[in-house]
Amino acid sequence: MSVHDLTEVQLEQQQLALLAMIGTQQAADPDGHWPMWDWVEYKAKSFGMEDPRGVLDSLPRVGASGSVGLSYGFTTAVPRILMEDTRIKLTVAAAWALDEARYALGEPFLQVLHHMITLWRNAPRLPNEVTRVPLTSEDLQRALPQMDPRIIRMVPDSFFNEPFMSGSYGKAPNGSWSMDDVPRQVMFYEQATDLRGYVSETCRQVHRVLHEADRDFTGGEPAPVPAPDAVLHLSASRTALLMWLWHQKQQQSPGEPMPNVMDMLSDDSLSVDQGVRFTESEIDRASAYLEHHGLIKGGGTFDQMAGPVLAEITPAGEDCVEGYRGDTGAYIHRRDNGPVTFHIATNNGNIAANSTGVSQNAASRADFDPAQILAAVSLIRQLAPALTPDAAEQQALLAQTSELQTAAEAPAPDRVAVRRITDGVLSTIRGLTHSPDVQRLALEAVEPEIQNP
């Protein structure tokens, strides 16, 4: 059921009972693990609930009502594809509706949130650097000494369940953790001093994002979006899914179930290419392609889908992301053998080509890798709509990346030309300040390559 604000709904008795069962079990678990659906369903039926899945599905949500799009509800589980090992997690909205979760989840969350707001507001800023605000579990415990250490250990898991709190963190076996950068979205909640204020503001932000996605630019009809280049769009879907699964692996704890590949479509930073959002069928085909080439490992298919619905990245997939910026084509064809061309500037002596038992020495730059540049090109094209909403600026950037691709794909790339074009791309990205987070990602993709040519 779709609603406008979760704080305005009155949950039914069975809905409250299901949420209470989930929250009580998580609070009793020594490590704070959320229960799997297999256990929840069994327990609910043993207490007389005839259709636990139906009760879960009936919980109200704000935002997108289908299988794609941003939404927020009382749990993180959208029952479109619910497996036995899916962990059912409560959101802070459940802590507003349920007294049992208010003190174990809601109030501690608010304390951590406002500590992060203070950190972000007071962090020193430099004119030539992007501000990062790190946080560790040890720092948080010192700042909030009254908070139960067990709750401190669970902060990343509960915090990143919320729709506008995405980020990355590292977790040690003893439960301590470190967060690279406090999400700047915490500033949405500077005025949210209680649970109702937080939940209402989150609902408002969900509506804002969906409204901006469907904004009317032409007095009644959505602005027409040019059809994307089919080949580039196909390649971008594979890269985006692989990058998303890479990020999921960095955030997951051992024993967590495989993520649902369709959840990638709710990540606005990765789900749009050339101004067009990927479809479920495109992500399904990308999933099948990545599994076929060993870049992801699937946990089974669903209905008539070609690729795995639940999947995780493999070591080969991590190599592709970390070494080739997720450009699957460049990674898969990296060992292709083609005709060898010798380019010799100045020579004094004998040259032996295609011979055995010959040792030849030549001065070369081993660090120039066109495949790396092409991977950066692929990522920049994918990020272009998020870097700037201005169509003219997007087209200018895409034209530069096309020029860079042509130069890098030449049989004998001209280093000077590649460097000049790369420098131009870098300069353009630095001027696109619409989304600092996306800008930083784009700069990290291009800056290493400008040193190589």
mmCIF file with all atom_site columns, all heavy atoms in Angstrom, residues 108-126:
data_model
loop_
_atom_site.group_PDB
_atom_site.id
_atom_site.type_symbol
_atom_site.label_atom_id
_atom_site.label_alt_id
_atom_site.label_comp_id
_atom_site.label_asym_id
_atom_site.label_entity_id
_atom_site.label_seq_id
_atom_site.pdbx_PDB_ins_code
_atom_site.Cartn_x
_atom_site.Cartn_y
_atom_site.Cartn_z
_atom_site.occupancy
_atom_site.B_iso_or_equiv
_atom_site.pdbx_formal_charge
_atom_site.auth_seq_id
_atom_site.auth_comp_id
_atom_site.auth_asym_id
_atom_site.auth_atom_id
_atom_site.pdbx_PDB_model_num
ATOM 1   N N   . PRO A 1 108 ? 18.823 5.503  19.649 1.00 0.00 ? 108 PRO A N   1
ATOM 2   C CA  . PRO A 1 108 ? 20.270 5.468  19.361 1.00 0.00 ? 108 PRO A CA  1
ATOM 3   C C   . PRO A 1 108 ? 20.594 5.993  17.963 1.00 0.00 ? 108 PRO A C   1
ATOM 4   O O   . PRO A 1 108 ? 21.600 6.684  17.777 1.00 0.00 ? 108 PRO A O   1
ATOM 5   C CB  . PRO A 1 108 ? 20.626 3.984  19.495 1.00 0.00 ? 108 PRO A CB  1
ATOM 6   C CG  . PRO A 1 108 ? 19.589 3.424  20.399 1.00 0.00 ? 108 PRO A CG  1
ATOM 7   C CD  . PRO A 1 108 ? 18.335 4.169  20.085 1.00 0.00 ? 108 PRO A CD  1
ATOM 8   N N   . PHE A 1 109 ? 19.740 5.672  16.982 1.00 0.00 ? 109 PHE A N   1
ATOM 9   C CA  . PHE A 1 109 ? 19.973 6.163  15.628 1.00 0.00 ? 109 PHE A CA  1
ATOM 10  C C   . PHE A 1 109 ? 19.989 7.684  15.607 1.00 0.00 ? 109 PHE A C   1
ATOM 11  O O   . PHE A 1 109 ? 20.855 8.305  14.970 1.00 0.00 ? 109 PHE A O   1
ATOM 12  C CB  . PHE A 1 109 ? 18.893 5.629  14.681 1.00 0.00 ? 109 PHE A CB  1
ATOM 13  C CG  . PHE A 1 109 ? 19.016 6.136  13.270 1.00 0.00 ? 109 PHE A CG  1
ATOM 14  C CD1 . PHE A 1 109 ? 19.757 5.430  12.340 1.00 0.00 ? 109 PHE A CD1 1
ATOM 15  C CD2 . PHE A 1 109 ? 18.405 7.317  12.875 1.00 0.00 ? 109 PHE A CD2 1
ATOM 16  C CE1 . PHE A 1 109 ? 19.888 5.898  11.036 1.00 0.00 ? 109 PHE A CE1 1
ATOM 17  C CE2 . PHE A 1 109 ? 18.526 7.790  11.582 1.00 0.00 ? 109 PHE A CE2 1
ATOM 18  C CZ  . PHE A 1 109 ? 19.271 7.074  10.660 1.00 0.00 ? 109 PHE A CZ  1
ATOM 19  N N   . LEU A 1 110 ? 19.033 8.314  16.295 1.00 0.00 ? 110 LEU A N   1
ATOM 20  C CA  . LEU A 1 110 ? 18.979 9.780  16.315 1.00 0.00 ? 110 LEU A CA  1
ATOM 21  C C   . LEU A 1 110 ? 20.226 10.379 16.962 1.00 0.00 ? 110 LEU A C   1
ATOM 22  O O   . LEU A 1 110 ? 20.753 11.395 16.494 1.00 0.00 ? 110 LEU A O   1
ATOM 23  C CB  . LEU A 1 110 ? 17.737 10.239 17.072 1.00 0.00 ? 110 LEU A CB  1
ATOM 24  C CG  . LEU A 1 110 ? 16.417 10.269 16.302 1.00 0.00 ? 110 LEU A CG  1
ATOM 25  C CD1 . LEU A 1 110 ? 15.307 10.776 17.216 1.00 0.00 ? 110 LEU A CD1 1
ATOM 26  C CD2 . LEU A 1 110 ? 16.512 11.123 15.051 1.00 0.00 ? 110 LEU A CD2 1
ATOM 27  N N   . GLN A 1 111 ? 20.726 9.755  18.039 1.00 0.00 ? 111 GLN A N   1
ATOM 28  C CA  . GLN A 1 111 ? 21.926 10.269 18.687 1.00 0.00 ? 111 GLN A CA  1
ATOM 29  C C   . GLN A 1 111 ? 23.125 10.208 17.741 1.00 0.00 ? 111 GLN A C   1
ATOM 30  O O   . GLN A 1 111 ? 23.899 11.168 17.641 1.00 0.00 ? 111 GLN A O   1
ATOM 31  C CB  . GLN A 1 111 ? 22.219 9.462  19.953 1.00 0.00 ? 111 GLN A CB  1
ATOM 32  C CG  . GLN A 1 111 ? 21.186 9.627  21.055 1.00 0.00 ? 111 GLN A CG  1
ATOM 33  C CD  . GLN A 1 111 ? 21.531 8.805  22.274 1.00 0.00 ? 111 GLN A CD  1
ATOM 34  O OE1 . GLN A 1 111 ? 22.625 8.907  22.832 1.00 0.00 ? 111 GLN A OE1 1
ATOM 35  N NE2 . GLN A 1 111 ? 20.597 7.967  22.706 1.00 0.00 ? 111 GLN A NE2 1
ATOM 36  N N   . VAL A 1 112 ? 23.260 9.081  17.042 1.00 0.00 ? 112 VAL A N   1
ATOM 37  C CA  . VAL A 1 112 ? 24.365 8.940  16.095 1.00 0.00 ? 112 VAL A CA  1
ATOM 38  C C   . VAL A 1 112 ? 24.204 9.930  14.943 1.00 0.00 ? 112 VAL A C   1
ATOM 39  O O   . VAL A 1 112 ? 25.170 10.572 14.519 1.00 0.00 ? 112 VAL A O   1
ATOM 40  C CB  . VAL A 1 112 ? 24.430 7.489  15.557 1.00 0.00 ? 112 VAL A CB  1
ATOM 41  C CG1 . VAL A 1 112 ? 25.478 7.374  14.442 1.00 0.00 ? 112 VAL A CG1 1
ATOM 42  C CG2 . VAL A 1 112 ? 24.758 6.523  16.684 1.00 0.00 ? 112 VAL A CG2 1
ATOM 43  N N   . LEU A 1 113 ? 22.983 10.069 14.446 1.00 0.00 ? 113 LEU A N   1
ATOM 44  C CA  . LEU A 1 113 ? 22.718 10.982 13.341 1.00 0.00 ? 113 LEU A CA  1
ATOM 45  C C   . LEU A 1 113 ? 23.141 12.404 13.691 1.00 0.00 ? 113 LEU A C   1
ATOM 46  O O   . LEU A 1 113 ? 23.835 13.079 12.905 1.00 0.00 ? 113 LEU A O   1
ATOM 47  C CB  . LEU A 1 113 ? 21.236 10.938 12.976 1.00 0.00 ? 113 LEU A CB  1
ATOM 48  C CG  . LEU A 1 113 ? 20.756 11.955 11.927 1.00 0.00 ? 113 LEU A CG  1
ATOM 49  C CD1 . LEU A 1 113 ? 21.390 11.667 10.581 1.00 0.00 ? 113 LEU A CD1 1
ATOM 50  C CD2 . LEU A 1 113 ? 19.224 11.927 11.819 1.00 0.00 ? 113 LEU A CD2 1
ATOM 51  N N   . HIS A 1 114 ? 22.754 12.877 14.857 1.00 0.00 ? 114 HIS A N   1
ATOM 52  C CA  . HIS A 1 114 ? 23.060 14.266 15.204 1.00 0.00 ? 114 HIS A CA  1
ATOM 53  C C   . HIS A 1 114 ? 24.534 14.453 15.571 1.00 0.00 ? 114 HIS A C   1
ATOM 54  O O   . HIS A 1 114 ? 25.075 15.552 15.402 1.00 0.00 ? 114 HIS A O   1
ATOM 55  C CB  . HIS A 1 114 ? 22.129 14.758 16.306 1.00 0.00 ? 114 HIS A CB  1
ATOM 56  C CG  . HIS A 1 114 ? 20.778 15.119 15.787 1.00 0.00 ? 114 HIS A CG  1
ATOM 57  N ND1 . HIS A 1 114 ? 20.517 16.335 15.193 1.00 0.00 ? 114 HIS A ND1 1
ATOM 58  C CD2 . HIS A 1 114 ? 19.632 14.397 15.690 1.00 0.00 ? 114 HIS A CD2 1
ATOM 59  C CE1 . HIS A 1 114 ? 19.256 16.373 14.795 1.00 0.00 ? 114 HIS A CE1 1
ATOM 60  N NE2 . HIS A 1 114 ? 18.691 15.201 15.075 1.00 0.00 ? 114 HIS A NE2 1
ATOM 61  N N   . HIS A 1 115 ? 25.192 13.387 16.012 1.00 0.00 ? 115 HIS A N   1
ATOM 62  C CA  . HIS A 1 115 ? 26.651 13.481 16.182 1.00 0.00 ? 115 HIS A CA  1
ATOM 63  C C   . HIS A 1 115 ? 27.316 13.634 14.807 1.00 0.00 ? 115 HIS A C   1
ATOM 64  O O   . HIS A 1 115 ? 28.240 14.447 14.642 1.00 0.00 ? 115 HIS A O   1
ATOM 65  C CB  . HIS A 1 115 ? 27.184 12.238 16.887 1.00 0.00 ? 115 HIS A CB  1
ATOM 66  C CG  . HIS A 1 115 ? 28.674 12.234 17.034 1.00 0.00 ? 115 HIS A CG  1
ATOM 67  N ND1 . HIS A 1 115 ? 29.357 13.124 17.833 1.00 0.00 ? 115 HIS A ND1 1
ATOM 68  C CD2 . HIS A 1 115 ? 29.631 11.449 16.451 1.00 0.00 ? 115 HIS A CD2 1
ATOM 69  C CE1 . HIS A 1 115 ? 30.655 12.893 17.755 1.00 0.00 ? 115 HIS A CE1 1
ATOM 70  N NE2 . HIS A 1 115 ? 30.844 11.886 16.919 1.00 0.00 ? 115 HIS A NE2 1
ATOM 71  N N   . MET A 1 116 ? 26.826 12.890 13.817 1.00 0.00 ? 116 MET A N   1
ATOM 72  C CA  . MET A 1 116 ? 27.368 13.008 12.462 1.00 0.00 ? 116 MET A CA  1
ATOM 73  C C   . MET A 1 116 ? 27.092 14.397 11.878 1.00 0.00 ? 116 MET A C   1
ATOM 74  O O   . MET A 1 116 ? 27.940 14.963 11.168 1.00 0.00 ? 116 MET A O   1
ATOM 75  C CB  . MET A 1 116 ? 26.770 11.931 11.562 1.00 0.00 ? 116 MET A CB  1
ATOM 76  C CG  . MET A 1 116 ? 27.241 10.529 11.859 1.00 0.00 ? 116 MET A CG  1
ATOM 77  S SD  . MET A 1 116 ? 26.507 9.337  10.711 1.00 0.00 ? 116 MET A SD  1
ATOM 78  C CE  . MET A 1 116 ? 27.386 7.839  11.178 1.00 0.00 ? 116 MET A CE  1
ATOM 79  N N   . ILE A 1 117 ? 25.917 14.936 12.151 1.00 0.00 ? 117 ILE A N   1
ATOM 80  C CA  . ILE A 1 117 ? 25.593 16.285 11.665 1.00 0.00 ? 117 ILE A CA  1
ATOM 81  C C   . ILE A 1 117 ? 26.581 17.293 12.245 1.00 0.00 ? 117 ILE A C   1
ATOM 82  O O   . ILE A 1 117 ? 27.087 18.175 11.527 1.00 0.00 ? 117 ILE A O   1
ATOM 83  C CB  . ILE A 1 117 ? 24.144 16.651 12.044 1.00 0.00 ? 117 ILE A CB  1
ATOM 84  C CG1 . ILE A 1 117 ? 23.156 15.826 11.212 1.00 0.00 ? 117 ILE A CG1 1
ATOM 85  C CG2 . ILE A 1 117 ? 23.885 18.141 11.846 1.00 0.00 ? 117 ILE A CG2 1
ATOM 86  C CD1 . ILE A 1 117 ? 21.707 15.969 11.637 1.00 0.00 ? 117 ILE A CD1 1
ATOM 87  N N   . THR A 1 118 ? 26.881 17.164 13.532 1.00 0.00 ? 118 THR A N   1
ATOM 88  C CA  . THR A 1 118 ? 27.837 18.073 14.168 1.00 0.00 ? 118 THR A CA  1
ATOM 89  C C   . THR A 1 118 ? 29.219 17.927 13.538 1.00 0.00 ? 118 THR A C   1
ATOM 90  O O   . THR A 1 118 ? 29.897 18.927 13.259 1.00 0.00 ? 118 THR A O   1
ATOM 91  C CB  . THR A 1 118 ? 27.910 17.791 15.678 1.00 0.00 ? 118 THR A CB  1
ATOM 92  O OG1 . THR A 1 118 ? 26.616 17.988 16.253 1.00 0.00 ? 118 THR A OG1 1
ATOM 93  C CG2 . THR A 1 118 ? 28.906 18.713 16.358 1.00 0.00 ? 118 THR A CG2 1
ATOM 94  N N   . LEU A 1 119 ? 29.648 16.683 13.309 1.00 0.00 ? 119 LEU A N   1
ATOM 95  C CA  . LEU A 1 119 ? 30.948 16.457 12.673 1.00 0.00 ? 119 LEU A CA  1
ATOM 96  C C   . LEU A 1 119 ? 30.992 17.102 11.292 1.00 0.00 ? 119 LEU A C   1
ATOM 97  O O   . LEU A 1 119 ? 31.979 17.757 10.930 1.00 0.00 ? 119 LEU A O   1
ATOM 98  C CB  . LEU A 1 119 ? 31.224 14.952 12.558 1.00 0.00 ? 119 LEU A CB  1
ATOM 99  C CG  . LEU A 1 119 ? 31.537 14.180 13.842 1.00 0.00 ? 119 LEU A CG  1
ATOM 100 C CD1 . LEU A 1 119 ? 31.709 12.706 13.515 1.00 0.00 ? 119 LEU A CD1 1
ATOM 101 C CD2 . LEU A 1 119 ? 32.792 14.724 14.512 1.00 0.00 ? 119 LEU A CD2 1
ATOM 102 N N   . TRP A 1 120 ? 29.948 16.891 10.517 1.00 0.00 ? 120 TRP A N   1
ATOM 103 C CA  . TRP A 1 120 ? 29.949 17.396 9.136  1.00 0.00 ? 120 TRP A CA  1
ATOM 104 C C   . TRP A 1 120 ? 29.915 18.916 9.114  1.00 0.00 ? 120 TRP A C   1
ATOM 105 O O   . TRP A 1 120 ? 30.581 19.546 8.309  1.00 0.00 ? 120 TRP A O   1
ATOM 106 C CB  . TRP A 1 120 ? 28.743 16.825 8.385  1.00 0.00 ? 120 TRP A CB  1
ATOM 107 C CG  . TRP A 1 120 ? 28.962 16.786 6.907  1.00 0.00 ? 120 TRP A CG  1
ATOM 108 C CD1 . TRP A 1 120 ? 29.470 15.741 6.181  1.00 0.00 ? 120 TRP A CD1 1
ATOM 109 C CD2 . TRP A 1 120 ? 28.691 17.834 5.972  1.00 0.00 ? 120 TRP A CD2 1
ATOM 110 N NE1 . TRP A 1 120 ? 29.531 16.076 4.861  1.00 0.00 ? 120 TRP A NE1 1
ATOM 111 C CE2 . TRP A 1 120 ? 29.062 17.354 4.693  1.00 0.00 ? 120 TRP A CE2 1
ATOM 112 C CE3 . TRP A 1 120 ? 28.176 19.103 6.090  1.00 0.00 ? 120 TRP A CE3 1
ATOM 113 C CZ2 . TRP A 1 120 ? 28.934 18.116 3.545  1.00 0.00 ? 120 TRP A CZ2 1
ATOM 114 C CZ3 . TRP A 1 120 ? 28.050 19.875 4.942  1.00 0.00 ? 120 TRP A CZ3 1
ATOM 115 C CH2 . TRP A 1 120 ? 28.432 19.378 3.688  1.00 0.00 ? 120 TRP A CH2 1
ATOM 116 N N   . ARG A 1 121 ? 29.122 19.513 10.015 1.00 0.00 ? 121 ARG A N   1
ATOM 117 C CA  . ARG A 1 121 ? 29.014 20.969 10.050 1.00 0.00 ? 121 ARG A CA  1
ATOM 118 C C   . ARG A 1 121 ? 30.334 21.615 10.476 1.00 0.00 ? 121 ARG A C   1
ATOM 119 O O   . ARG A 1 121 ? 30.703 22.681 9.983  1.00 0.00 ? 121 ARG A O   1
ATOM 120 C CB  . ARG A 1 121 ? 27.902 21.397 11.002 1.00 0.00 ? 121 ARG A CB  1
ATOM 121 C CG  . ARG A 1 121 ? 27.609 22.890 10.949 1.00 0.00 ? 121 ARG A CG  1
ATOM 122 C CD  . ARG A 1 121 ? 26.777 23.362 12.120 1.00 0.00 ? 121 ARG A CD  1
ATOM 123 N NE  . ARG A 1 121 ? 25.512 22.646 12.251 1.00 0.00 ? 121 ARG A NE  1
ATOM 124 C CZ  . ARG A 1 121 ? 25.216 21.882 13.285 1.00 0.00 ? 121 ARG A CZ  1
ATOM 125 N NH1 . ARG A 1 121 ? 26.092 21.696 14.250 1.00 0.00 ? 121 ARG A NH1 1
ATOM 126 N NH2 . ARG A 1 121 ? 24.043 21.286 13.360 1.00 0.00 ? 121 ARG A NH2 1
ATOM 127 N N   . ASN A 1 122 ? 31.056 20.982 11.400 1.00 0.00 ? 122 ASN A N   1
ATOM 128 C CA  . ASN A 1 122 ? 32.254 21.593 11.966 1.00 0.00 ? 122 ASN A CA  1
ATOM 129 C C   . ASN A 1 122 ? 33.557 21.150 11.301 1.00 0.00 ? 122 ASN A C   1
ATOM 130 O O   . ASN A 1 122 ? 34.633 21.581 11.722 1.00 0.00 ? 122 ASN A O   1
ATOM 131 C CB  . ASN A 1 122 ? 32.332 21.282 13.462 1.00 0.00 ? 122 ASN A CB  1
ATOM 132 C CG  . ASN A 1 122 ? 31.162 21.875 14.235 1.00 0.00 ? 122 ASN A CG  1
ATOM 133 O OD1 . ASN A 1 122 ? 30.579 22.879 13.817 1.00 0.00 ? 122 ASN A OD1 1
ATOM 134 N ND2 . ASN A 1 122 ? 30.808 21.262 15.352 1.00 0.00 ? 122 ASN A ND2 1
ATOM 135 N N   . ALA A 1 123 ? 33.484 20.293 10.293 1.00 0.00 ? 123 ALA A N   1
ATOM 136 C CA  . ALA A 1 123 ? 34.709 19.822 9.638  1.00 0.00 ? 123 ALA A CA  1
ATOM 137 C C   . ALA A 1 123 ? 35.409 20.986 8.941  1.00 0.00 ? 123 ALA A C   1
ATOM 138 O O   . ALA A 1 123 ? 34.752 21.820 8.308  1.00 0.00 ? 123 ALA A O   1
ATOM 139 C CB  . ALA A 1 123 ? 34.375 18.734 8.622  1.00 0.00 ? 123 ALA A CB  1
ATOM 140 N N   . PRO A 1 124 ? 36.736 21.079 9.064  1.00 0.00 ? 124 PRO A N   1
ATOM 141 C CA  . PRO A 1 124 ? 37.462 22.164 8.384  1.00 0.00 ? 124 PRO A CA  1
ATOM 142 C C   . PRO A 1 124 ? 37.382 22.003 6.875  1.00 0.00 ? 124 PRO A C   1
ATOM 143 O O   . PRO A 1 124 ? 37.446 20.892 6.352  1.00 0.00 ? 124 PRO A O   1
ATOM 144 C CB  . PRO A 1 124 ? 38.897 22.002 8.892  1.00 0.00 ? 124 PRO A CB  1
ATOM 145 C CG  . PRO A 1 124 ? 38.993 20.573 9.327  1.00 0.00 ? 124 PRO A CG  1
ATOM 146 C CD  . PRO A 1 124 ? 37.644 20.204 9.827  1.00 0.00 ? 124 PRO A CD  1
ATOM 147 N N   . ARG A 1 125 ? 37.212 23.109 6.164  1.00 0.00 ? 125 ARG A N   1
ATOM 148 C CA  . ARG A 1 125 ? 37.111 23.104 4.707  1.00 0.00 ? 125 ARG A CA  1
ATOM 149 C C   . ARG A 1 125 ? 38.309 23.814 4.098  1.00 0.00 ? 125 ARG A C   1
ATOM 150 O O   . ARG A 1 125 ? 38.754 24.852 4.616  1.00 0.00 ? 125 ARG A O   1
ATOM 151 C CB  . ARG A 1 125 ? 35.839 23.822 4.248  1.00 0.00 ? 125 ARG A CB  1
ATOM 152 C CG  . ARG A 1 125 ? 34.685 22.882 3.906  1.00 0.00 ? 125 ARG A CG  1
ATOM 153 C CD  . ARG A 1 125 ? 33.994 22.376 5.123  1.00 0.00 ? 125 ARG A CD  1
ATOM 154 N NE  . ARG A 1 125 ? 32.849 21.526 4.776  1.00 0.00 ? 125 ARG A NE  1
ATOM 155 C CZ  . ARG A 1 125 ? 32.173 20.846 5.666  1.00 0.00 ? 125 ARG A CZ  1
ATOM 156 N NH1 . ARG A 1 125 ? 32.493 20.896 6.931  1.00 0.00 ? 125 ARG A NH1 1
ATOM 157 N NH2 . ARG A 1 125 ? 31.155 20.092 5.310  1.00 0.00 ? 125 ARG A NH2 1
ATOM 158 N N   . LEU A 1 126 ? 38.827 23.260 3.002  1.00 0.00 ? 126 LEU A N   1
ATOM 159 C CA  . LEU A 1 126 ? 39.904 23.877 2.247  1.00 0.00 ? 126 LEU A CA  1
ATOM 160 C C   . LEU A 1 126 ? 39.408 24.153 0.833  1.00 0.00 ? 126 LEU A C   1
ATOM 161 O O   . LEU A 1 126 ? 38.649 23.345 0.267  1.00 0.00 ? 126 LEU A O   1
ATOM 162 C CB  . LEU A 1 126 ? 41.132 22.967 2.210  1.00 0.00 ? 126 LEU A CB  1
ATOM 163 C CG  . LEU A 1 126 ? 41.788 22.681 3.577  1.00 0.00 ? 126 LEU A CG  1
ATOM 164 C CD1 . LEU A 1 126 ? 42.893 21.660 3.428  1.00 0.00 ? 126 LEU A CD1 1
ATOM 165 C CD2 . LEU A 1 126 ? 42.312 23.964 4.200  1.00 0.00 ? 126 LEU A CD2 1
#
